[in-house]
Amino acid sequence: MTTPEWLFLTRRRFLTLTALATLGMASSACGRRLIPGAATKDELGDPVTPITKFTSYGNYYEFTRSKVGIADYAGGFAPPDWTLRIDGLVRSPLTLGLDELRDFGIEERVYRLRCIECWSMVIPWHGVPLRKLLAEAEPLPEARFVRFESLYDPERLAGQRPHAYEPTPPPGEPHMGASVREPYQWPYVEGLRIDEAWNDLVLVVVGAYGKPLPVVAGAPLRIVVPWKYGFKSPKLVARIELVNTMPTSFWMTAMPAEHGFYANVNPDVPHPRWSQAREVRYLGRDPEPVIATLKFNGYAAQVAHLYEGMDLAEDF
Ligand SMILES: Nc1nc2c(c(=O)[nH]1)N[C@H]1C(S)=C(S)[C@@H](COP(=O)(O)O)O[C@H]1N2
Ligand SMILES: [Mo]
């Protein structure tokens, strides 16, 4: 049997196409045939995910638990006039409108985004490295962590209303899991250690695919941390606070056994309910390829030094 032509376009870590069932996640393997976007690739040569997939699939619990329905649920949402606040343990608190943020200089970064649920995309983001905003805000010496806080607005964000998700997820929908502690504690919170936050990879994102950020991807502003599982890349971020204790994130509260603070992508540390060694890469193929997951999502050269001496299974 000959190898499909597109396999030659990808790297050797693209495995056989039959391994989907062994992941036990066939429901997330959307088999729709999509036209790939422009031939943009990441630094490893991985092709960019088609924009149609990017805007129609993902996790956004402020609106829904349905990964395939997020465009329908989030589509009508109009983000309010936006300001990003950077405060807490800083010498110079900042309040930035989107135009002021753009004045820091927008860069394009093509990053892999790898969800803890074993699917991934390659996305061309547009944004400002967080380190530039931190330099402007001047963290005080006692600042040890950065806390990201998303919008809290139950009027507009149906998932934040009381009883939004009770008693059960919609029938047949994939769900983060049975052990979730409901109700969810809003707003969505995430965090980084301050040395992680200074890493050049961390991007404050306002666009993707050459366009303003779509609502489903967290418009008008989100954070992207490409070497960590996707839940560490919060959408709809309104506040960045410098603090001196480790923030407890949304998912650490909801499912503490399954979500740690670090959440570095790591094929060697399995999730309590599944292996993290492989992922479905969304390319708009039918079927989508299953590929080997890379340590730190392929960014080890830039970030491995941050975790020297740490036990990554313990600090998962
Ligand atoms: N505010 C907020 N941010 C969020 C989420 C969310 O539900 N709410 N989901 C996270 C998860 S689990 C993933 S995998 C990514 C998905 O990003 P994408 O939809 O742009 O691919 O967003 C993350 N950021
Ligand atoms: Mo995720």
Side-chain angles (χ1 to χ4, degrees):
M1 206 182 105
T2 55
T3 309
E5 185 201 352
W6 66 266
L7 265 180
F8 293 116
L9 303 173
T10 61
R11 298 193 319 289
R12 62 187 154 68
R13 71 189 181 87
F14 282 66
L15 308 175
T16 74
L17 303 179
T18 54
L20 268 182
T22 66
L23 273 174
M25 304 198 76
S27 61
S28 64
C30 168
R32 281 195 302 149
R33 197 179 284 281
L34 300 167
I35 310 297
T40 320
K41 299 189 169 176
D42 68 12
E43 84 288 1
L44 301 178
D46 286 9
V48 161
T49 295
I51 187 172
T52 43
K53 184 70 184 180
F54 171 68
T55 55
S56 62
Y57 188 91
N59 279 318
Y60 207 164
Y61 279 56
E62 279 84 345
F63 293 102
T64 177
R65 281 200 288 218
S66 167
K67 283 180 239 308
V68 293
I70 64 171
D72 297 336
Y73 287 95
F77 173 71
D81 279 344
W82 207 254
T83 51
L84 173 67
R85 178 113 183 114
I86 303 177
D87 61 5
L89 299 172
V90 296
R91 191 190 303 273
S92 321
L94 303 177
T95 303
L96 300 171
L98 293 180
D99 286 337
E100 291 163 302
L101 181 71
R102 286 187 196 97
D103 289 342
F104 282 83
I106 299 289
E107 299 181 25
E108 185 185 54
R109 304 274 183 95
V110 181
Y111 283 160
R112 297 169 289 286
L113 184 141
R114 205 286 198 184
C115 176
I116 194 170
E117 296 175 293
C118 304
W119 56 266
S120 62
M121 300 189 191
V122 179
I123 301 164
W125 303 109
H126 308 276
V128 177
L130 176 61
R131 63 177 171 76
K132 291 192 177 176
L133 306 187
L134 293 177
E136 189 78 7
E138 300 179 276
L140 298 172
E142 57 267 37
R144 292 177 54 230
F145 294 90
V146 173
R147 181 180 182 275
F148 305 109
E149 190 175 296
S150 297
L151 181 68
Y152 179 67
D153 187 352
E155 299 264 307
R156 280 186 277 199
L157 303 171
Q160 293 181 337
R161 293 179 202 150
H163 316 296
Y165 293 118
E166 291 163 14
T168 48
E173 289 288 353
H175 177 236
M176 290 290 274
S179 61
V180 67
R181 285 186 190 160
E182 295 185 86
Y184 295 114
Q185 300 299 304
W186 299 103
Y188 197 95
V189 167
E190 259 307 333
L192 295 173
R193 222 170 51 194
I194 195 159
D195 58 337
E196 298 179 307
W198 277 105
N199 189 280
D200 183 60
L201 289 172
V202 181
L203 206 59
V204 180
V205 164
V206 293
Y209 293 82
K211 301 172 194 204
L213 194 63
V215 165
V216 294
L221 186 150
R222 79 181 295 178
I223 308 296
V224 172
V225 186
W227 72 93
K228 293 175 180 280
Y229 292 119
F231 72 88
K232 297 287 299 183
S233 290
K235 301 176 178 185
L236 206 60
V237 169
R239 183 178 182 201
I240 299 175
E241 188 187 4
L242 282 286
V243 296
N244 66 5
T245 54
M246 182 182 281
T248 304
S249 74
F250 178 87
W251 282 113
M252 289 166 74
T253 303
M255 301 177 79
E258 303 192 2
H259 301 83
F261 176 78
Y262 284 96
N264 292 309
V265 174
N266 192 340
D268 306 328
V269 177
H271 183 278
R273 291 184 286 134
W274 55 76
S275 163
Q276 292 291 21
R278 295 195 180 146
E279 66 203 54
V280 178
R281 170 60 54 80
Y282 288 129
L283 293 178
R285 312 285 180 177
D286 183 9
E288 300 283 13
V290 175
I291 65 175
T293 290
L294 299 176
K295 195 159 185 180
F296 298 115
N297 207 18
Y299 301 99
Q302 292 98 316
V303 301
H305 67 276
L306 296 168
Y307 310 104
E308 259 164 38
M310 277 176 61
D311 179 344
L312 296 176
E314 185 110 332
D315 284 317
F316 64 94

